[in-house]
Amino acid sequence: MTMIKNHNGYRHTFIENKLTLGLAFPLEVHTSMDIGEQVKLAKKAEDLGFSALFVRDSPLHDPKFGDSGNLFDPFVFLSYLAAHTEKIALGTASVVTPLRNPLHLAKLAASLDILSNNRFLFGVATGDRPIEYPAFKVESDDKGRLFRESIEVMKKVWSEDFSIIETEKVNLTVGDVLPKPNQSHIPLLGTGYAKQSMEWLAEHMDGFMFYMQEGFRQKELIRTWREHTVTFKPFIQPIILDLTEDPKKPPFPIPIKASLRTGRNFLIDYLYALQDMGINHTMFFLNTGSRPADEVIQEIGEYVVPLFNK
C-alpha cells in the first residue's frame, strides 16, 4: 500500500474520510469530441482544482446502447492529455480488460503512467455493451475468469523481471515486458463486481467504483467494501449531472439512470452526504446536460471544488 500512497495520481485524488471531485469525458455537451475543446476544458479543470479526469473505454459503437462513449482509444487520448496537463490525475473508467491481451495492457498502462509522471489511475472492468464479446470472438461466459487473468498477469510483469507466465491468453517463457512502472505497480480501480467476489476485489484492487444508487444501498455496499479491506482503499461513485442555472433549484426527475438534475446548493448538500457516507471520489459526467460544459465546470470549480478538494 505504501507504493500506492506515493503514486502522484492516487495521492492527488484519494484522501481517507474525504470526498474529492473529478470529471469524465466527453466534457462537451451534446457534441462529438472536438479535441481542441476537450484539451481546453481539461486544462481549465486542472486550473480550478479538480483532482482527476476519467475516460471510458468504448471498443465499439453500439447504436442501440444509447451513446457512443468515448471516441478515442483511452490510452492514446490520456497520453495526449498528459502532454497538455501537469498534475491532475488521468484515469480510465474503465478499460474492458477481457477483450485485450494482458501483455499489451501491461505495456500500455506502464507507458502512460511513466509519461504522465505517475498520474495514471487504471480503472478496469468487464464491460457493459452486449455486442463487444461476440465481435472480438471472446466468450461472454469467460469474462470473469479472463478479468482475473488480466489483473494477475499485469501485476506480475509490472513487479518482476522476465516472468514465466502460462495462461489462456499468455505464453510468456522468454523475454520481458518493458517499461516497468516506477513503483512496480499502478493503482487498479475495479468497476462493479466484474464477475468477482468482494473478497477477491478487496484483495486485488486498490479502489472500487460503483454506479449511483439509492442511499441505503450505497451505504451498505460501502460498509461491505470497508469490512473486506485491511487498509484504506477508496470508494468511487460517478454522477451524471445536469446543473441548472438557478443555484436554488431543487432536484427534479431526469429520465437517465444514475443522474442528478439540480442547482448548486442542493448539489453541495448532496456531496457532503456522499462524503459522510464514505465515498472518496465522484466524477461528473456533463455531456447530457442542458448547459455548456465550460459554464458548468467554471461554476463547480469556483463554488464547489474548494469545499472538497483541499
Side-chain angles (χ1 to χ4, degrees):
M1 189 64 183
T2 301
M3 59 184 177
I4 292 297
K5 286 185 177 179
N6 292 330
H7 183 273
N8 290 335
Y10 184 98
R11 186 177 62 225
H12 191 67
T13 306
F14 304 122
I15 305 169
E16 191 169 4
N17 300 319
K18 285 282 294 179
L19 176 72
T20 61
L21 307 178
L23 295 169
F25 289 95
L27 297 177
E28 298 162 292
V29 177
H30 299 304
T31 64
S32 60
M33 288 184 70
D34 179 281
I35 191 64
E37 185 66 15
Q38 295 293 295
V39 170
K40 174 185 172 184
L41 294 175
K43 294 170 74 171
K44 182 184 185 77
E46 180 173 60
D47 292 341
L48 288 169
F50 286 86
S51 63
L53 298 168
F54 283 88
V55 63
R56 287 182 290 169
D57 180 24
S58 306
L60 296 175
H61 170 47
D62 183 352
K64 295 181 180 180
F65 194 79
D67 72 87
S68 58
N70 190 60
L71 180 62
F72 302 106
D73 176 87
F75 291 102
V76 176
F77 183 58
L78 290 179
S79 295
Y80 189 79
L81 287 180
H84 290 83
T85 55
E86 295 180 1
K87 61 182 180 180
I88 197 166
L90 304 170
T92 52
S94 292
V95 169
V96 185
T97 67
L99 299 182
R100 301 187 186 223
N101 187 282
L103 299 181
H104 281 141
L105 278 178
K107 189 177 187 74
L108 283 166
S111 300
L112 175 54
D113 195 49
I114 291 170
L115 293 173
S116 66
N117 190 28
N118 307 133
R119 289 189 282 148
F120 179 46
L121 302 174
F122 196 178
V124 290
T126 52
D128 56 7
R129 299 179 184 236
I131 69 170
E132 292 174 344
Y133 281 81
F136 286 92
K137 290 190 175 182
V138 177
E139 289 294 331
S140 180
D141 291 343
D142 294 340
K143 65 173 63 174
R145 177 172 51 78
L146 293 174
F147 180 81
R148 290 192 301 274
E149 176 186 332
S150 66
I151 301 305
E152 291 160 4
V153 168
M154 288 190 294
K155 283 187 169 186
K156 193 171 182 65
V157 298
W158 285 338
S159 60
E160 298 178 4
D161 296 325
F162 297 97
S163 300
I164 304 298
I165 305 174
E166 295 187 52
T167 66
E168 181 174 336
K169 283 195 169 185
V170 175
N171 182 34
L172 182 63
T173 58
V174 179
D176 197 9
V177 176
L178 298 175
K180 306 290 184 186
N182 290 331
Q183 296 169 342
S184 302
H185 186 64
I186 296 169
L188 291 164
L189 310 176
T191 301
Y193 285 95
K195 303 296 182 180
Q196 312 304 318
S197 67
M198 184 59 82
E199 290 81 3
W200 189 92
L201 291 168
E203 178 181 355
H204 295 277
M205 297 291 104
D206 303 297
F208 185 51
M209 236 183 281
F210 206 80
Y211 59 81
M212 180 180 175
Q213 58 178 343
E214 295 91 342
F216 75 95
R217 294 182 185 277
Q218 200 74 310
K219 191 172 183 179
E220 177 62 22
L221 181 58
I222 294 167
R223 184 190 64 79
T224 302
W225 173 248
R226 301 284 182 231
E227 286 178 350
H228 285 85
T229 52
V230 177
T231 59
F232 167 66
K233 293 186 177 184
F235 188 100
I236 303 111
Q237 174 189 297
I239 298 175
I240 299 171
L241 178 66
D242 185 1
L243 190 69
T244 62
E245 290 190 26
D246 180 1
K248 298 179 182 179
K249 188 80 172 180
F252 56 102
I254 181 172
I256 302 176
K257 185 179 179 182
S259 61
L260 180 66
R261 177 181 288 164
T262 189
R264 183 178 74 236
N265 292 352
F266 178 84
L267 175 64
I268 291 171
D269 291 340
Y270 178 72
L271 293 174
Y272 275 125
L274 294 187
Q275 180 172 265
D276 292 341
M277 193 184 297
I279 293 174
N280 304 108
H281 182 78
T282 189
M283 67 196 77
F284 297 119
F285 285 83
L286 306 178
N287 62 309
T288 59
S290 55
R291 296 172 60 194
D294 184 71
E295 288 183 12
V296 176
I297 292 171
Q298 180 65 42
E299 182 174 346
I300 296 175
E302 186 175 348
Y303 295 101
V304 186
V305 166
L307 302 176
F308 297 94
N309 293 11
K310 58 182 179 181

